[in-house]
Amino acid sequence: MLRPQLLYHVARNSRGSLPVYSDVRNAGSRYLVYIRNVDGNVADLVNDLTTTLFPNSSAKISTVRNRHVVIQGGRCKDSVMEWLASKGF
């Protein structure tokens, strides 16, 4: 399957799964979704997520250590995984 050339790549983990993880903090009042092991232009991935997956959402998307993306503000792990799979990762 050919996919358009992207400026970033999300490598799968050693078990073959997408590196998307959820973290619940503050007794369930703070829900975080992490995308780990992003290679390339992380800012471009954040921009694509903001424009396509969360266009009118209050979700806050930030980068950590230049290789991880953190999404705050909703239970969106499954939709992020589906979005990455549709992109060909």
Side-chain angles (χ1 to χ4, degrees):
M1 176 179 171
L2 293 176
R3 62 184 166 132
Q5 190 67 18
L6 299 172
L7 298 176
Y8 54 87
H9 177 72
V10 180
R12 291 184 176 253
N13 61 19
S14 61
R15 293 182 179 202
S17 300
L18 287 168
V20 179
Y21 306 96
S22 60
D23 187 15
V24 180
R25 295 190 178 200
N26 297 344
S29 66
R30 186 173 177 203
Y31 193 86
L32 305 172
V33 175
Y34 294 97
I35 304 172
R36 297 183 184 165
N37 302 330
V38 179
D39 293 325
N41 191 350
V42 180
D44 196 33
L45 171 62
V46 170
N47 187 28
D48 284 352
L49 282 169
T50 304
T51 57
T52 59
L53 195 57
F54 304 107
N56 297 324
S57 177
S58 63
K60 179 182 174 188
I61 304 174
S62 58
T63 60
V64 179
R65 295 187 200 122
N66 295 330
R67 291 201 61 201
H68 305 311
V69 175
V70 180
I71 304 169
Q72 300 177 6
R75 290 172 167 78
C76 57
K77 177 184 174 186
D78 293 334
S79 60
V80 169
M81 289 182 72
E82 290 173 6
W83 184 81
L84 286 172
S86 71
K87 290 281 192 177
F89 299 112

